[in-house]
Amino acid sequence: MTGRRGHGEFDLIARFFEPLSRAAPGAFALGNDGALLTLPESASLVVTKDLMVAGVHYPEGEEPSMLARRLLRVNLSDLAAMGASATAYALGLALPTDVDDDWVEAFAAGLAHDQEAYGVALIGGDTVATEGPAVLSLTAFGTVEGDACLTRSGAGAGDDVYVSGTIGDAALGLRAVRGELAALEPEDRAALAERFRLPEPRLALGAALVGLATCAIDVSDGLVADLGHLCAESGVAARVAADAAPLSDPARRALAAGEADIADLVTGGDDYELLFCAPPSARGGIDALGRRLGVALTRIGAIEPGQGVTVADATGQPLSLGRAGYTHF
Amino acid sequence: MTGRRGHGEFDLIARFFEPLSRAAPGAFALGNDGALLTLPESASLVVTKDLMVAGVHYPEGEEPSMLARRLLRVNLSDLAAMGASATAYALGLALPTDVDDDWVEAFAAGLAHDQEAYGVALIGGDTVATEGPAVLSLTAFGTVEGDACLTRSGAGAGDDVYVSGTIGDAALGLRAVRGELAALEPEDRAALAERFRLPEPRLALGAALVGLATCAIDVSDGLVADLGHLCAESGVAARVAADAAPLSDPARRALAAGEADIADLVTGGDDYELLFCAPPSARGGIDALGRRLGVALTRIGAIEPGQGVTVADATGQPLSLGRAGYTHF
């Protein structure tokens, strides 16, 4: 790990980041040009990289330990979508010059908390100074057995479409973070904000779906947009029922209070749930898997020949989604 | 590869970056949550990550294809310092909103040129928008046989200290880029600027040094500072002779013209040459290696018990290096 923020940077790395690397001997205590990662025999590496920019992907002034945890979790979610077991990560921080030691210490504490929870270790990276907003880059590493990973491209006509957990909470949560959703109780606003700030990467689910699901993606752009990505990569269409979308109690209350409509929820991003397809013959296995993991796995529609995504309302008519739902495809 | 700069971003990825991934089937044409990297049997992965910030690590307005090539080469140089064979890279771009398609196209063209030259392929990444200066993040992947990589920590008392190529050119080159060095001929200024803008990662040398060198690092912070890193990680001291440092003809003319002194050259960064140690018994092998690769490998000093780096002048007295030489250790 190299640091070029200034004279004190080597100190920062030694004090705050080196402890995060101790579980990984190939990290060389961050005192090397790079790291060495030895994979289990017959495993392949899965790599993903997501960036976050202050003021774009999170509000300026977000608590640094929460930010660190979100950065790590968002990347682990990509590993989950590929069915990989998470092993390690590298960190690239471009930090404003007015970031102080307390900020870095809290950021590292957030990483320490979550890397323990998810069984990963820091293996290297770079810290630099920027005159602009903070840019946080993380590269996450996982493994799969052989080349058996989930991709976006295996959906076939007749497959069921499933999503884990609940949908739309994070988009509502971002609004709660911004001080909106006045019609909701404070507890609901807090619960939704937590869903935005601290997504849950579905690693156990992703790994268990290898061999069961025909394709998978994590919901970052929104349920409809990400289903569009699955369809585009698989060369198929999808039809889902809006009222089948799994909603949390706070999200239901937001609907009832007129703070959002169903189109907002099925197009809202950042839930980091897994969206996947599987043939009808797998229904029993998927139900059993959901029970075993304690994760709701909801069948919301089906794959058809053609292209594009149709979201049907309660009467079976296509729901109007506005522009947001079609941004990305 | 995901892109969140705006509505046109998926187009940008498809048009300019997807072609860079075609040699890597595990990149899934950048249409997946992550990439799959299968290593040769009994190989380990080497990972490194370096960031560059506009206005900090390169002048604002630098030609984008040169910038892309430098970003890739700087990371490949870290792989070289570990003795790894380069295989792939992931890219994280935080770009100002006023960056246009021409800029991205030229940036991708630079990557295309150098990934062909170095035999690597793009396997994924992320592009996002920033209100600040561009932040360019690259994670490079290489392999070594078993766990046989070079590190910074193997130097022992009695070892010789070597450096490849010539030293100090890039620091002079940065001054040339800034319009300084008026006492030099335009050809010299151009040659030095090229050394700053387009470093040569010493991949073949690094790989050949596995089993021959006891430690290695690439010269990014400066010869003295990076030798300090080797000494710190190895628990030894080093003594080098300033007049043994290999200098290019333009650098010699810069000295003669009073544009720089030897302390500037041995403390100047960004040369991306390899600095390494080896026991005296390896001298014949190292000379033969330099001849085979057509790379100057110059013995500049020796490792001693103790700590710290001493640079001796022609009379054997410690050279005064000013503050710059001691920034980082």
Side-chain angles (χ1 to χ4, degrees):
Chain A
M1 189 154 178
T2 48
R4 292 168 287 159
R5 282 185 63 225
H7 294 196
E9 187 58 17
F10 287 86
D11 261 5
L12 272 190
I13 292 174
R15 280 169 60 200
F16 300 130
F17 292 114
E18 183 277 327
L20 304 179
S21 74
R22 288 186 190 157
F28 303 110
L30 308 184
N32 207 36
D33 288 294
L36 187 72
L37 205 58
T38 303
L39 308 190
E41 205 176 336
S42 81
S44 290
L45 186 81
V46 173
V47 181
T48 187
K49 182 181 180 96
D50 260 359
L51 271 59
M52 286 169 35
V53 180
V56 178
H57 303 102
Y58 61 90
E60 297 262 14
E62 171 63 301
E63 209 276 303
S65 75
M66 290 295 272
L67 192 54
R69 295 171 71 188
R70 182 158 188 262
L71 177 68
L72 181 56
R73 287 168 179 232
V74 161
N75 277 280
L76 295 180
S77 178
D78 281 325
L79 296 183
M82 292 185 68
S85 298
T87 55
Y89 66 102
L91 195 60
L93 302 178
L95 298 178
T97 43
D98 63 358
V99 160
D100 61 14
D101 281 15
D102 288 347
W103 193 99
V104 177
E105 183 171 18
F107 188 87
L111 291 175
H113 183 280
D114 270 8
Q115 73 173 46
E116 178 82 18
Y118 295 107
V120 294
L122 177 66
I123 58 167
D126 196 10
T127 58
V128 298
T130 175
E131 296 298 314
V135 177
L136 315 175
S137 169
L138 195 143
T139 307
F141 304 101
T143 58
V144 291
E145 178 65 23
D147 59 358
C149 69
L150 299 171
T151 70
R152 298 180 180 179
S153 65
D159 278 1
D160 296 319
V161 178
Y162 294 86
V163 70
S164 66
T166 57
I167 282 298
D169 296 330
L172 291 170
L174 178 56
R175 290 177 54 198
V177 167
R178 289 176 174 154
E180 302 176 25
L181 305 185
L184 292 189
E185 295 295 326
E187 297 73 35
D188 279 352
R189 286 201 299 272
L192 293 166
E194 182 84 356
R195 283 273 290 162
F196 170 77
R197 297 173 81 197
L198 220 48
E200 180 63 46
R202 299 292 191 187
L203 285 159
L205 174 60
L209 286 174
V210 175
L212 205 56
T214 54
C215 65
I217 191 171
D218 65 333
V219 178
S220 54
D221 293 335
L223 176 67
V224 176
D226 287 313
L227 185 52
H229 298 322
L230 281 185
C231 287
E233 293 293 328
S234 297
V236 294
R239 183 179 179 87
V240 297
D243 60 6
L247 303 182
S248 68
D249 290 340
R252 286 186 192 284
R253 288 192 281 268
L255 283 185
E259 288 281 14
D261 59 31
I262 187 68
D264 295 330
L265 302 186
V266 297
T267 59
D270 293 321
D271 286 315
Y272 296 100
E273 294 294 347
L274 290 192
L275 179 66
F276 59 96
C277 299
S281 61
R283 285 181 190 176
I286 286 170
D287 287 349
L289 178 61
R291 283 193 302 275
R292 176 163 71 81
L293 298 176
V295 179
L297 301 178
T298 307
R299 185 151 49 88
I300 58 170
I303 298 297
E304 302 172 343
Q307 56 183 13
V309 175
T310 304
V311 182
D313 67 15
T315 70
Q317 295 304 303
L319 191 71
S320 170
L321 295 170
R323 274 188 75 231
Y326 296 102
T327 302
H328 287 316
F329 57 94
Chain B
M1 188 154 176
T2 48
R4 291 170 287 160
R5 281 185 64 224
H7 294 195
E9 186 59 16
F10 288 86
D11 262 4
L12 273 190
I13 291 174
R15 279 169 61 200
F16 300 129
F17 291 114
E18 183 277 326
L20 304 180
S21 74
R22 288 185 190 158
F28 303 109
L30 307 185
N32 207 37
D33 289 294
L36 188 71
L37 204 59
T38 302
L39 308 189
E41 203 175 338
S42 81
S44 291
L45 185 79
V46 173
V47 181
T48 188
K49 184 181 179 93
D50 259 0
L51 272 60
M52 285 170 33
V53 180
V56 178
H57 302 103
Y58 61 91
E60 298 264 13
E62 170 64 301
E63 209 276 302
S65 75
M66 290 294 273
L67 192 54
R69 296 171 70 188
R70 183 158 187 264
L71 177 68
L72 181 57
R73 287 167 178 233
V74 161
N75 276 280
L76 295 179
S77 177
D78 281 326
L79 296 183
M82 291 185 67
S85 298
T87 56
Y89 66 101
L91 195 59
L93 302 178
L95 298 177
T97 43
D98 63 358
V99 160
D100 61 14
D101 281 15
D102 289 346
W103 194 98
V104 177
E105 183 171 19
F107 189 87
L111 291 175
H113 183 282
D114 271 9
Q115 73 174 47
E116 178 82 19
Y118 295 107
V120 295
L122 178 65
I123 58 167
D126 196 9
T127 58
V128 296
T130 176
E131 297 297 313
V135 177
L136 315 175
S137 169
L138 196 144
T139 306
F141 304 101
T143 57
V144 292
E145 178 66 23
D147 59 359
C149 70
L150 299 171
T151 70
R152 298 180 180 178
S153 64
D159 277 2
D160 296 319
V161 177
Y162 294 85
V163 69
S164 66
T166 57
I167 282 299
D169 296 329
L172 291 169
L174 177 57
R175 290 177 55 198
V177 166
R178 290 177 173 154
E180 303 175 25
L181 305 185
L184 293 189
E185 296 294 328
E187 298 74 35
D188 279 353
R189 287 200 298 272
L192 293 167
E194 182 84 356
R195 283 271 291 161
F196 170 77
R197 297 173 81 197
L198 220 47
E200 180 64 46
R202 298 293 190 185
L203 285 159
L205 174 60
L209 286 174
V210 175
L212 204 56
T214 54
C215 65
I217 192 171
D218 65 332
V219 178
S220 54
D221 293 335
L223 176 67
V224 176
D226 288 312
L227 185 52
H229 298 322
L230 281 185
C231 287
E233 293 293 328
S234 297
V236 294
R239 183 179 180 86
V240 298
D243 60 6
L247 303 182
S248 68
D249 289 341
R252 286 186 193 285
R253 288 190 281 268
L255 284 185
E259 288 281 14
D261 59 31
I262 187 68
D264 296 329
L265 302 186
V266 296
T267 60
D270 293 320
D271 286 314
Y272 296 100
E273 294 294 346
L274 290 191
L275 179 66
F276 60 96
C277 299
S281 60
R283 285 180 190 175
I286 286 169
D287 287 349
L289 178 61
R291 282 193 304 274
R292 176 164 71 81
L293 297 176
V295 179
L297 301 178
T298 306
R299 186 151 50 87
I300 59 170
I303 298 297
E304 303 173 343
Q307 56 183 12
V309 175
T310 304
V311 182
D313 67 14
T315 70
Q317 295 304 304
L319 192 71
S320 171
L321 296 169
R323 274 188 75 233
Y326 295 101
T327 302
H328 287 318
F329 58 95

